[in-house]
């Protein structure tokens, strides 16, 4: 079972100094709850995430109503903000933690029916909620988002929001409006955010992303004309956007930020993020060797 405290996952430090998710047995969680003054009924709020390759069920539970310091002491770990944990966890662990947090958040914000205002009740697995009055069934949802790495052939375009860590840049992204196709969203977002006209694009891959309220990321590459690459940044959307050479991007890929000291001039999204995949693909396609 994976524990969260107010949607921050519990991590434990390895002997090598790296971090890993703390996967606890149900009996361990029961002892934890008793040791910090709760009872076992809280376990009924756990949510099924999925199954391992060995067909073992995996659950998650948020214990935000309990004392954080006491829980950390008993577990021998630390509850870490999810965004920060993405830079600490492996590519295998991060998606699992992201899914768990998204499900827990959905339950915390879906306690009432939008049609009747009456309470909703979850099923045993936590995969749906039902209105106690009308019987309407609610399922967890993801908002469709297009994320695109734009290139003029020799450079790629990266942007940043004011909320990003200092020095961090990523691919452009935007929500699909009602009735839009992926293609229409991509063309509109690039035009709105940086004033460029897309000539062609291709689909790369997709990914669930837990922010801001669970997004379904559809990742694409797009090309613009080198003769029409002057940026007109919409600063209500982005704090900054600029072109980066392959050498600058390759250096950032090969020298990820450390947890100490000042961040590098260019800091890229964590390795498991689909934005990182887009940037790596572009670097390789332009001749760069990414280890």
């Amino acid at each position: 079972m994976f524990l969260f405290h107010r949607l921050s996952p519990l991590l434990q430090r390895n002997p090598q100094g790296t971090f890993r998710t703390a996967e606890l047995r149900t009996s361990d969680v029961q002892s934890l709850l008793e040791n910090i003054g709760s009872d076992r009924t809280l376990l009924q709020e756990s949510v099924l995430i999925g199954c391992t390759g060995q067909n073992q069920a995996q659950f998650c539970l948020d214990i935000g109503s309990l004392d954080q310091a006491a829980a950390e002491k008993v577990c021998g770990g630390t509850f870490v903000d999810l965004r920060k944990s993405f830079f600490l966890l492996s590519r295998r662990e991060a998606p699992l933690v992201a899914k768990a947090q998204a499900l827990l958040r959905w339950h915390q914000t879906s306690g009432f029916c939008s049609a009747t205002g009456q309470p909703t009740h979850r099923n045993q697995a936590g995969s749906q909620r039902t209105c106690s009055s009308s019987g309407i069934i609610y399922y967890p949802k993801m908002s469709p988002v297009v994320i695109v790495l734009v290139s003029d052939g020799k450079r790629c375009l990266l942007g940043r929001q004011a909320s990003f860590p200092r020095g961090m840049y990523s691919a452009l992204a935007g929500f699909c409006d009602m009735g839009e196709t992926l293609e229409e969203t991509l063309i509109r977002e690039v035009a709105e955010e940086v004033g460029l006209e897309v000539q062609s694009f291709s689909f790369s891959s997709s990914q669930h992303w837990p922010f801001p309220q669970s997004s379904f990321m559809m990742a694409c590459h797009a090309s613009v004309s080198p003769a029409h690459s002057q940026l007109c940044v919409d600063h209500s959307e982005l704090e900054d956007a600029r072109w980066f050479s392959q050498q600058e991007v390759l250096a950032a890929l090969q020298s990820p930020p450390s947890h100490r000291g000042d961040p590098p001039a260019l800091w890229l999204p964590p390795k498991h993020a689909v934005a990182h995949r887009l940037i790596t693909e572009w670097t390789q396609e332009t001749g760069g060797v990414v280890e």
Side-chain angles (χ1 to χ4, degrees), residues 13-283:
R13 190 183 292 270
N14 293 313
Q16 300 82 5
T18 58
F19 285 86
R20 60 179 174 82
T21 54
E23 191 166 2
L24 307 177
R25 294 175 300 179
T26 302
S27 58
D28 294 332
V29 177
Q30 290 175 341
S31 298
L32 164 68
L33 296 177
E34 292 171 354
N35 288 336
I36 58 178
S38 181
D39 58 45
R40 299 184 179 187
T41 58
L42 187 60
L43 278 172
Q44 297 174 6
E45 298 181 17
S46 60
V47 176
L48 177 66
I49 310 171
C51 291
T52 67
Q54 293 72 41
N55 293 322
Q56 288 215 328
Q58 294 174 302
F59 292 87
C60 57
L61 175 67
D62 194 292
I63 58 171
S65 60
L66 305 179
D67 182 73
Q68 178 177 339
E72 290 176 336
K73 183 177 180 179
V74 173
C75 296
T78 305
F79 291 101
V80 180
D81 177 80
L82 186 62
R83 291 183 186 273
K84 294 180 181 178
S85 72
F86 280 167
F87 289 95
L88 304 174
L89 296 174
S90 68
R91 295 188 183 189
R92 179 188 65 82
E93 294 175 307
L96 188 64
V97 170
K99 180 180 179 180
Q101 198 238 38
L103 286 168
L104 290 170
R105 187 201 300 117
W106 178 74
H107 280 287
Q108 292 178 9
T109 58
S110 304
F112 295 90
C113 176
S114 61
T116 67
Q118 296 301 307
T120 60
H121 301 286
R122 50 167 286 177
N123 64 349
Q124 186 173 7
S127 60
Q128 64 184 50
R129 299 187 71 93
T130 304
C131 175
S132 58
S133 174
S134 66
I136 297 174
I137 299 176
Y138 292 91
Y139 298 94
K141 295 180 180 179
M142 297 185 291
S143 299
V145 174
V146 172
I147 181 166
V148 55
L149 187 68
V150 179
S151 173
D152 67 353
K154 295 184 177 180
R155 303 173 296 173
C156 74
L157 177 65
L158 300 175
R160 60 172 279 110
Q161 297 178 353
S163 60
F164 284 11
R166 183 159 57 96
M168 180 177 169
Y169 282 76
S170 184
L172 305 183
F175 290 98
C176 296
D177 283 345
M178 181 63 70
E180 273 189 330
T181 63
L182 181 155
E183 298 87 344
E184 291 168 340
T185 301
L186 187 153
I187 292 170
R188 174 182 58 77
E189 284 292 337
V190 173
E192 288 180 355
E193 294 191 355
V194 292
L196 297 179
E197 182 177 348
V198 171
Q199 289 187 320
S200 62
F201 54 87
S202 60
F203 178 78
S204 169
S205 54
S206 62
Q207 179 186 50
H208 164 254
W209 192 244
F211 309 111
Q213 295 289 332
S214 282
S215 302
F216 179 59
M217 311 295 291
M218 297 173 285
C220 300
H221 291 277
S223 298
V224 298
S225 169
H228 300 91
S229 59
Q230 181 68 37
L231 302 180
C232 181
V233 180
D234 181 354
H235 289 288
S236 67
E237 295 275 352
L238 298 172
E239 182 182 70
D240 186 34
R242 64 181 72 172
W243 292 104
F244 289 89
S245 67
Q246 186 220 64
Q247 291 78 13
E248 290 175 302
V249 173
L250 186 58
L253 287 170
Q254 294 177 339
S255 302
S258 64
H259 306 307
R260 300 176 181 177
D262 294 331
L266 175 59
W267 182 5
L268 300 177
K271 288 186 177 181
H272 76 278
V274 74
H276 192 284
R277 186 184 309 164
L278 285 173
I279 294 167
T280 300
E281 289 174 348
W282 175 82
T283 306

